[in-house]
Amino acid sequence: MLIGLVAMAILAIATSIYGLGRESAQVDVIEQNQEAGDAADQASSVFERCIDAGGVFDFAAGQCRGH
């Protein structure tokens, strides 16, 4: 009976640690997704402002040319 209780305690601790690790990984992914979305929005805004100003966006250089 004691062995069973010890095994259950170890399993409970391992499950808790696993859950904390999973939650931490999910938070990291959510933060990375938010950062990527923000960067994409910013890049799109720069491109659109260039085109609206009559320029041509040079993707290789990452700059607006000709305005």
Side-chain angles (χ1 to χ4, degrees), residues 1-61:
M1 179 143 166
L2 182 60
I3 293 173
L5 290 174
V6 170
M8 287 176 58
I10 291 172
L11 180 61
I13 292 170
T15 302
S16 176
I17 291 171
Y18 177 80
L20 291 174
R22 182 184 63 211
E23 184 178 321
S24 175
Q26 287 174 334
V27 168
D28 289 345
V29 169
I30 290 169
E31 289 174 357
Q32 289 172 358
N33 284 345
Q34 184 64 45
E35 290 171 5
D38 292 346
D41 288 344
Q42 184 179 0
S44 177
S45 176
V46 169
F47 171 76
E48 290 172 5
R49 283 194 310 262
C50 176
I51 299 301
D52 290 345
V56 176
F57 194 80
D58 182 345
F59 288 96

